[in-house]
């Protein structure tokens, strides 16, 4: 979602998240794909009344969607103060977290720091 924001997109499509081979991943996770990448939810664990269990992948996708919303909130805050400045200010706040494709992605620690910085900025607009 950060890359969607950087590309001035309004959303993204997760392609092929439910595909599997001849065997259902609910019955055998490694039959079609060794890493079971398309599985977003897992069946309840035996003996527990918990409903479906989200995969880490689905949790991270949800985090990304929330990040996109935060970026849009921050952009609106900058726009309210100085029309026309919102997008540029947000891209500056992201810093080098959106590296070119030939560079490695930021570490989880870097992402947490920028999320905290974005949250502080959004809160400062609310106080203003």
């Amino acid at each position: 979602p950060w890359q969607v924001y950087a590309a001035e997109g309004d959303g993204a499509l997760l392609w092929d998240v439910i595909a599997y081979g001849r065997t259902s991943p609910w019955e055998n996770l490694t039959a079609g794909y060794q890493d079971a990448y398309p599985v977003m939810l897992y069946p309840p664990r035996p003996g527990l009344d918990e409903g479906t269990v989200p995969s880490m992948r689905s949790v991270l996708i949800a985090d990304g969607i929330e990040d996109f919303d935060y970026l849009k909130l921050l952009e609106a805050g900058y726009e309210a103060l100085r029309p026309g400045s919102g997008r540029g200010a947000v891209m500056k706040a992201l810093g080098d977290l959106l590296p070119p494709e030939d560079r490695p992605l930021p570490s989880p620690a870097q992402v947490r720091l920028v999320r905290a910085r974005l949250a502080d900025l959004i809160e400062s607009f609310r106080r203003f």
Side-chain angles (χ1 to χ4, degrees), residues 8-128:
E8 299 184 38
D10 291 323
L13 173 66
L14 295 173
W15 183 258
D16 207 19
V17 296
I18 59 170
Y20 53 86
R22 293 185 175 141
T23 303
S24 167
W26 290 77
E27 297 167 6
N28 185 347
L29 280 175
T30 59
Y33 298 95
Q34 283 302 101
D35 59 353
Y37 83 91
V39 179
M40 298 293 279
L41 300 170
Y42 294 95
R45 292 173 284 194
L48 297 177
D49 184 25
E50 63 185 345
T52 56
V53 179
S55 67
M56 191 58 161
R57 182 176 186 216
S58 66
V59 170
L60 292 173
I61 289 169
D63 286 348
I65 292 168
E66 289 175 355
D67 289 347
F68 184 87
D69 290 342
Y70 292 152
L71 295 172
K72 294 303 256 184
L73 283 171
L74 186 57
E75 181 180 319
Y78 280 115
E79 284 294 323
L81 286 178
R82 186 177 296 146
S85 70
R87 183 164 173 69
V90 171
M91 291 303 292
K92 183 178 178 182
L94 287 176
D96 62 353
L97 283 180
L98 296 168
E101 291 181 23
D102 61 340
R103 287 187 31 221
L105 293 173
S107 71
Q110 288 173 299
V111 172
R112 282 192 299 275
L113 286 174
V114 170
R115 280 183 179 146
R117 183 173 23 166
L118 294 175
D120 289 344
L121 287 169
I122 291 168
E123 286 301 314
S124 71
F125 285 120
R126 289 184 180 184
R127 287 190 295 266
F128 183 72

